[in-house]
Amino acid sequence: MNKIDETKPFKPVNIAVLTVSDTRTLETDKSGDTLVERIARDGHVLVDRAIVTDDIDKIRAQVRKWIDDPNVEVVISTGGTGVTGRDVTPEAMEGLFEKKIEGFGETFRWISFQKIGTSTMQSRATAGVANATYIFALPGSTGACKDGWDDILRQQLDIRFRPCNFAELMPRLNEGKMPRSG
C-alpha cells in the first residue's frame, strides 16, 4: 500500500529552501540547487531561497520569517547538521519547534545507513512543526539532499501518497490555535 493514489489530484506545496554554510554562495550551492531542482521537478512551488552562515540567531531569524509567512508551508534546510563546533542547525531549528517529528531523523539515518554505513551517525537530521509549517533539516551534501527528498520528502509532501502523508495533515496543524494570518 506504500504508493501514490492516482485517483486523487496532485496538490503543490509551497516550499522555502535554506542553505546553512559559512562558505557557499548561490553560485556554489549545489545542495540547495539539488533541492530546488527536485522541488520543481515534482510539481511543488519554490517560494523563497536563502543562504545564512552557521549562526543560531541567523538561522532562526530566517526560519521565523518563513514560518510567519502564510505562503510558506514547508521549510527545508541543508547544512549544519553534523557534530563540529560550527554545526548548529539542529539547535537553531529545534528551538523553534512546537512539535518534533522524531521519525524523520530516524528514517533519514536508516536510509543513509544503507548507502554510507555507520558514517550516518554523524548526521543530526531533524524535523518539526512550528506555526503550521513543516521544517526539515538535512545534511549539507548533495547525496544527503537527494536521499532526503527522493526517499522521504517526495512521498510525504505528495497528498496522494498512501497510506498517509504530511501534506494531508497541513490543514490540521494549527487545530486548537488561532489560524495563521494571510
Side-chain angles (χ1 to χ4, degrees):
M1 181 116 175
N2 186 14
K3 64 179 183 168
I4 298 293
D5 181 351
E6 299 291 346
T7 66
K8 292 186 166 276
F10 176 78
K11 181 183 174 199
V13 174
N14 294 332
I15 303 171
V17 172
L18 177 65
T19 298
V20 178
S21 173
D22 289 335
T23 59
R24 292 185 189 170
T25 66
L26 281 176
E27 294 76 32
T28 62
D29 182 18
K30 292 181 181 174
S31 294
D33 288 344
T34 296
L35 289 170
V36 167
E37 290 163 8
R38 280 166 160 69
I39 288 164
R41 176 198 72 193
D42 292 329
H44 298 290
V45 178
L46 179 69
V47 177
D48 200 5
R49 180 178 179 182
I51 298 177
V52 298
T53 56
D54 294 273
D55 178 277
I56 289 176
D57 293 333
K58 289 178 182 176
I59 297 166
R60 283 187 185 160
Q62 182 60 62
V63 174
R64 272 193 194 105
K65 176 183 164 193
W66 286 332
I67 65 176
D68 288 342
D69 181 345
N71 294 319
V72 176
E73 298 170 298
V74 173
V75 173
I76 304 173
S77 74
T78 174
T81 63
V83 297
T84 70
R86 295 290 294 159
D87 292 322
V88 295
T89 301
E91 289 77 12
M93 300 293 199
E94 291 173 3
L96 298 172
F97 293 168
E98 295 163 5
K99 293 186 178 184
K100 188 172 179 184
I101 303 171
E102 301 284 350
F104 178 79
E106 295 164 357
T107 301
F108 176 83
R109 283 181 286 280
W110 175 76
I111 290 165
S112 181
F113 178 79
Q114 296 172 52
K115 298 175 183 185
I116 64 169
T118 58
S119 295
T120 194
M121 286 188 292
Q122 294 179 26
S123 165
R124 297 184 302 137
T126 189
V129 178
N131 196 28
T133 305
Y134 288 113
I135 303 168
F136 302 99
L138 294 169
S141 72
T142 55
C145 289
K146 289 174 184 177
D147 293 345
W149 181 267
D150 295 346
D151 298 334
I152 303 172
L153 296 175
R154 181 176 186 214
Q155 297 167 350
Q156 286 298 301
L157 297 179
D158 189 332
I159 200 159
R160 305 168 304 164
F161 184 76
R162 295 290 168 246
C164 57
N165 59 75
F166 287 137
E168 67 189 350
L169 300 176
M170 285 179 180
R172 297 177 39 215
L173 291 178
N174 259 345
E175 285 179 338
K177 294 182 183 181
M178 296 297 294
R180 289 174 74 171
S181 61

